Amino acid sequence: MTMLNEAVQQREDQDPWRGFDGEAWRQRIDVRDFIQRNYTPYDGDAGFLAGPTDKTLKVWETLERDYLSVERERRVYDVDTHTPADIDAFPAGYICAEDDVIVGLQTDVPLKRAMMPQGGWRMVATAIREAGKEVDPAVERIFTRYRKTHNDAVFDIYTPRIRAARSSHIITGLPDAYGRGRIIGDYRRVALYGVDALISDKEAAKHAVGSQGFSEHWARYREEHSEQIKSLKKLNKLGEIYGLELNRPAANAREAVQWTYMAYLAAVKSQDGAAMSIGRLSAFLDIYFERDLADGVITESEAQEMIDALVIKLRIVRFLRTIDYDQIFSGDPYWATWSDAGFGVDGRQMVTKTSFRLLQTLRNLGPAPEPNITIFWDPALPEGYKEFCSAISIETSSLQYESDAQIRERWGDDAAIACCVSPMKVGQQMQFFGARVNAAKALLYAINGGRDEMTGKQVVEGFEPVQGDGPLDFDDIWRRYEEMLDWVIGTYVEALNIIHYAHDKYAYEAIEMALHDSDIIRTMGCGIAGLSIVADSLAAIKYAKVTPVRDETGLVVDYITEGDFPVYGNDDDRADDIAATVVHTVMAKIKEIPLYRDAIPTQSVLTITSNVVYGKNTGSFPSGHERGTPFSPGANPGNGMDTHGMVASMLSVGKLDYNDALDGISLTNTITPQGLGRTKEERVKNLVGILDAGFIMDDSQL
C-alpha cells in the first residue's frame, strides 16, 4: 500500500472512495485523473433544476437585511482591528442559526473584514481609518518595528527609475502593497484526499531534496514546504473550530462541498490577493452528487441547496481595501473566478448537471459579480447547455466566456482562469501577477523624450523629444517608440522581479501553494493597457497628417490630425496589423529579460476596470483620444471608434496572436436584449450564434 493510501485509510465505517473508478489517482495526488475517470457528461437541458429552498431564501434574506444593507450605507460593515488574519485566527462564525448547509466565515461575523498586515502596514492603516476605525497601537508597533512587510522590502529594493515610473503612472497597479493573487490552489484535494494525506505528501517532498549539499534552491524548497505543512495543520485546526474532520477525505456530497470550501476559506483568510479564483469545481463536485443521488441519499433540491450555499459564501468574501484601491478596480472585487464546461482532451464534453446548478444560482439568488462564472465555450458544446448559458447571460449579464480550444491546446483540460483571462493548470502552475504597463502613455513619452505630458516632469532620462512643428513621421515615431519601450519594459520587469522576490519572502501564500504539486510551472503575468489608442494613434501618424501642439515649455500636449486614417476594431488590416505588432513587440522585449525563479513570460491584453484610472493619468493622442478620459477595456476598440459592429471588432481582436498574449486577451461587448430579437427564444438562439461565431474565429475571451 502506498503512503498516500495509508494516509487516507482513516474511516472504518465507510469507504470515502466507494464506487469510484481508477487507480492512478489513488496512488498519487492527481485530481484530474479522478475527474476524467468518474465524471458524467450531461447532454440534456435545464429541466431538472430546482429553485431555492426555504433555508436558502432565509439565509440570503438575513444577509441582505442585517449585513449587506448596512454595508452599502457604511461602505465597510466592520473591521477587526486587533487580530492579524490567519487560517485559524478567528472563532467560528455563522450567518444565522439555520446556516448549517455550508459553514465557515472569514472572521466571526459576516462581512467583518480582517487585516492582513504582512503585505504592507500603511495600506492596512489607511483602510482601517477610512472605515472609521482606530488602529490598534500594539499591532502597529509589531508591523512597523518588529515584523518587516512585503511592502517594506519592495521599497527597500526599488530603484529610482522604478519609483519614477510608478509615480508617473506609466507602470500602474503593481502588487507591491497588497497580495499578488493569481494563484489557484487545488481546493478539491482536501475533499478527495483529506488534509493528513496532503501533509504526508508534502513531508515526503520536503525530505526528498538536499542530498547534494547546501544550495539556495535547496534551502528555499525546504523552508517553503515547511510553511506549507504548517498551513495544512492550521487547516485541520480550522476544521476543528467548525466541528469538521478535514483530516480525512469527504465521505459524501455535502462533505465534498464543505471540505472544498474550507480549503478555499483558508486561502481567503490568509491572503488578500488581487484575484482569488476558486478554480474548476463543477465536474469534480458532480461526481459526489451523482453518487449520492443514485444512492437516494440526497434529492435534487438538496444538491442545488448545497451549490447555492457555497455561492452565498463566495459572495460575502471581503478584503480590507483602501478607497484608492476600490477606485482602481471600480468597486470591491476579488475575482473568485469559477471556470466551467469545455472539453476533455479525449473529446468528451465536460458539462455536468452541476454546471447547470452553478448557473441556476443566478436565478435562485439573483445576479452578482462573485463568483466570476467563466464558461469555457466551444461551438460543439451541448445545445441545451449553450442555450441555458445564453438565457442566463441575457437575464443577468453575469457570465464570462473563454475559448476552450485555445486554453485546452496549451494548458490542458483541467485548466482554470485566475482573475479574468489568465489560464493555468490547476495545482500544477502559478503566476507571478504583474499588473501592466501603460503602452499608450509610452507613446507620448516617446514623442516628448521622456517628459510626462500631464506634469511636464522629466521621468525618463537620455531621450530626445521630437523637434519642430511639422507633421510627425511614422518611421521616426515608431523608432522612438521601440526605444522608449526598451526602457519601460526593462523598468517594469525589474519591478516585477523585485516584487515577487519580496512577496515570496514576506507574504508567502503557504496554504495555496500547499494545494499545488511540489514542482510547479511559474509564469510571469505581464500586461499592457491602451492598445487601441496606440494602434489608432500610430495609424493616424502613418495614414493622415498629425501635427503636434506644444505648450509654452515645448511639451507636446495635444495634436491636430487632418485626413482620414484606419481605426482598429473595424476589421481593417492596416490598423489591426499595427495593434498586433505592438503586442508582439512588447512580448518580444519581455522575453529578452531574465525573470525571477526562471518564470515563463506571458502577457495579457486586459483592463476590465482599471482602464478608467489609466486614462485619468494620461494625456491627449493623435487618434483624438482626449486627456484624462478612460481607456477602452482590454483589447476593445477605442471608445466610439468601432463603426462596423460587433463582428468586425471580433475579427480585429482575432488578429492578435494568442502566442504573444498567453495570459489572455479581453474583448468586452455590450448587447441589449432587444437587439438580439423580439422573443426570448430568438434572443437565446441569436446569442448562441454570436458566441459560436466569435469562438470559431478564435477570440481568446469575450
Side-chain angles (χ1 to χ4, degrees):
M1 182 179 291
T2 67
M3 183 181 297
L4 181 59
N5 272 325
E6 289 176 355
V8 166
Q9 303 303 316
Q10 298 185 43
R11 187 175 177 121
E12 297 180 358
D13 61 326
Q14 190 178 55
D15 175 11
W17 293 345
R18 67 194 181 281
F20 294 152
D21 292 332
E23 289 299 324
W25 61 267
R26 297 173 186 264
Q27 307 303 321
R28 64 178 185 275
I29 294 173
D30 190 343
V31 178
R32 179 198 171 270
D33 184 67
F34 168 75
I35 292 170
Q36 289 297 317
R37 294 184 182 280
N38 289 282
Y39 85 96
T40 304
Y42 178 67
D43 295 317
D45 60 22
F48 73 94
L49 289 167
T53 63
D54 290 341
K55 185 176 292 186
T56 296
L57 292 174
K58 185 165 186 178
V59 169
W60 191 240
E61 288 167 3
T62 300
L63 274 170
E64 176 58 38
R65 181 187 66 246
D66 297 343
Y67 301 100
L68 292 168
S69 62
V70 177
E71 182 183 61
R72 285 193 290 270
E73 292 178 4
R74 300 177 181 171
R75 190 183 78 89
V76 173
Y77 177 81
D78 196 8
V79 180
D80 185 302
T81 61
H82 307 292
T83 311
D86 203 351
I87 294 170
D88 57 352
F90 292 93
Y94 302 90
I95 297 171
C96 59
E98 291 77 17
D99 182 22
D100 59 358
V101 178
I102 300 299
V103 299
L105 298 176
Q106 278 179 291
T107 58
D108 55 341
V109 176
L111 305 187
K112 181 194 282 188
R113 305 181 190 220
M115 55 179 170
M116 298 185 183
Q118 292 86 353
W121 174 253
R122 185 169 57 180
M123 178 174 279
V124 167
T126 299
I128 289 173
R129 294 187 178 103
E130 288 176 347
K133 302 288 183 177
E134 294 296 323
V135 169
D136 184 329
V139 178
E140 182 175 33
R141 185 165 57 253
I142 291 170
F143 286 94
T144 55
R145 294 185 61 182
Y146 304 118
R147 193 350 179 133
K148 190 170 188 176
T149 69
H150 158 57
N151 185 244
D152 291 334
V154 167
F155 277 85
D156 281 349
I157 306 170
Y158 267 174
T159 61
R161 74 175 191 170
I162 294 174
R163 289 173 177 259
R166 187 182 186 275
S167 298
S168 67
H169 304 285
I170 197 165
I171 301 174
T172 309
L174 293 170
D176 52 15
Y178 57 90
R180 57 192 168 194
R182 300 282 186 93
I183 300 174
I184 308 174
D186 190 354
Y187 305 110
R188 306 165 301 186
R189 295 184 180 193
V190 174
L192 184 57
Y193 297 107
V195 174
D196 284 356
L198 302 181
I199 291 173
S200 295
D201 181 72
K202 287 297 180 180
E203 286 176 338
K206 173 184 174 180
H207 296 303
V209 300
S211 59
Q212 289 78 34
F214 180 85
S215 69
E216 184 176 351
H217 169 75
W218 169 84
R220 183 205 293 265
Y221 187 92
R222 287 183 59 82
E223 183 182 23
E224 288 184 347
H225 275 68
S226 292
E227 292 300 312
Q228 292 173 26
I229 292 165
K230 290 175 186 176
S231 74
L232 288 168
K233 291 178 178 178
K234 289 180 181 180
L235 177 55
N236 262 342
K237 185 176 178 182
L238 175 63
E240 293 170 4
I241 290 172
Y242 283 95
L244 306 171
E245 297 176 335
L246 300 183
N247 61 298
R248 60 168 175 80
N252 53 51
R254 189 180 303 277
E255 288 187 353
V257 177
Q258 180 70 74
W259 271 220
T260 301
Y261 169 65
M262 294 306 281
Y264 181 73
L265 182 62
V268 296
K269 276 176 169 284
S270 56
Q271 281 289 330
D272 62 343
M276 298 292 288
S277 299
I278 198 165
R280 193 167 183 166
L281 305 182
S282 294
F284 174 78
L285 295 177
D286 194 76
I287 295 168
Y288 290 87
F289 284 129
E290 285 292 298
R291 186 178 67 177
D292 283 9
L293 285 165
D295 291 346
V297 177
I298 61 171
T299 64
E300 177 55 42
S301 181
E302 289 172 320
Q304 185 64 54
E305 184 181 64
M306 289 181 226
I307 296 299
D308 288 345
L310 175 58
V311 167
I312 286 173
K313 291 302 175 63
L314 298 180
R315 289 188 179 190
I316 61 171
V317 169
R318 296 291 188 272
F319 292 120
L320 182 62
R321 307 290 201 192
T322 63
I323 292 173
D324 283 347
Y325 183 98
D326 288 353
Q327 290 176 344
I328 290 174
F329 295 105
S330 297
D332 194 16
Y334 75 103
W335 288 288
T337 305
W338 183 324
S339 304
D340 207 349
F343 278 79
V345 295
D346 62 1
R348 292 184 299 157
Q349 57 91 356
M350 295 189 68
V351 173
T352 64
K353 285 187 175 181
T354 300
S355 302
F356 282 81
R357 294 180 186 117
L358 175 62
L359 301 185
Q360 180 73 353
T361 65
L362 295 167
R363 285 179 170 168
N364 288 353
L365 305 173
E370 304 287 1
N372 177 22
I373 300 174
T374 299
I375 309 302
F376 285 6
W377 190 273
D378 188 291
L381 287 173
E383 289 300 317
Y385 181 69
K386 292 198 299 181
E387 290 180 1
F388 192 53
C389 288
S390 176
I392 293 294
S393 285
I394 292 168
E395 293 173 22
T396 69
S397 299
S398 296
L399 300 185
Q400 173 177 284
Y401 297 93
E402 303 268 352
S403 170
D404 181 62
Q406 294 275 24
I407 293 168
R408 187 175 67 254
E409 178 184 347
R410 293 166 176 82
W411 313 107
D413 57 14
D414 196 36
I417 299 299
C419 188
C420 306
V421 297
S422 305
M424 59 188 64
K425 297 180 178 180
V426 178
Q428 300 178 39
Q429 179 180 344
M430 62 88 73
Q431 181 189 105
F432 295 135
F433 167 56
R436 52 200 58 87
V437 296
N438 191 332
K441 194 177 183 75
L443 178 62
L444 302 184
Y445 272 35
I447 292 170
N448 278 311
R451 284 183 71 192
D452 191 273
E453 75 285 353
M454 302 291 280
T455 66
K457 183 180 180 180
Q458 188 73 44
V459 175
V460 185
E461 301 290 345
F463 290 82
E464 290 295 323
V466 171
Q467 302 294 329
D469 297 322
L472 299 178
D473 176 74
F474 176 81
D475 291 335
D476 177 59
I477 296 301
W478 178 256
R479 176 185 59 78
R480 292 172 182 271
Y481 185 49
E482 275 218 74
E483 291 174 354
M484 184 58 65
L485 284 177
D486 286 333
W487 186 94
V488 173
I489 298 301
T491 305
Y492 175 46
V493 174
E494 181 178 74
L496 296 184
N497 285 336
I498 291 168
I499 287 167
H500 294 294
Y501 163 84
H503 204 294
D504 275 351
K505 191 171 183 180
Y506 295 101
Y508 180 65
E509 300 92 339
I511 190 63
E512 291 166 85
M513 297 311 299
L515 300 175
H516 280 71
D517 292 352
S518 289
D519 296 308
I520 63 169
I521 301 166
R522 295 179 176 87
T523 61
M524 185 73 79
C526 305
I528 61 172
L531 175 63
S532 62
I533 299 171
V534 174
D536 292 348
S537 294
L538 288 170
I541 294 169
K542 185 172 185 177
Y543 294 102
K545 178 182 176 182
V546 176
T547 305
V549 176
R550 303 177 185 274
D551 67 9
E552 63 277 4
T553 69
L555 182 71
V556 177
V557 294
D558 206 350
Y559 303 87
I560 298 172
T561 301
E562 302 171 86
D564 296 329
F565 58 93
V567 176
Y568 166 75
N570 294 286
D571 192 25
D572 188 320
D573 286 346
R574 295 174 296 169
D576 297 345
D577 287 349
I578 292 174
T581 299
V582 170
V583 174
H584 178 77
T585 299
V586 171
M587 189 69 250
K589 292 181 183 299
I590 293 170
K591 288 179 177 178
E592 293 174 356
I593 305 171
L595 298 179
Y596 172 65
R597 296 188 83 164
D598 297 320
I600 300 168
T602 61
Q603 178 179 205
S604 66
V605 187
L606 166 69
T607 43
I608 298 297
T609 54
S610 49
N611 46 291
V612 176
V613 174
Y614 296 146
K616 181 180 179 181
N617 293 288
T618 306
S620 298
F621 285 87
S623 64
H625 185 90
E626 296 180 358
R627 172 189 174 104
T629 58
F631 291 0
S632 59
N636 274 49
N639 297 325
M641 302 295 274
D642 51 328
T643 58
H644 288 60
M646 182 174 171
V647 173
S649 68
M650 286 179 164
L651 289 167
S652 290
V653 174
K655 295 172 191 174
L656 304 178
D657 190 344
Y658 184 50
N659 292 306
D660 290 325
L662 289 174
D663 199 41
I665 301 170
S666 169
L667 172 63
T668 306
N669 278 307
T670 301
I671 310 172
T672 61
Q674 294 79 7
L676 289 168
R678 292 172 295 178
T679 67
K680 179 180 178 180
E681 291 73 18
E682 283 182 353
R683 293 168 185 170
V684 167
K685 289 189 177 298
N686 286 337
L687 182 54
V688 168
I690 290 170
L691 290 168
D692 282 348
F695 287 110
I696 287 172
M697 293 182 290
D698 286 336
D699 281 340
S700 180
Q701 187 235 352
L702 293 169

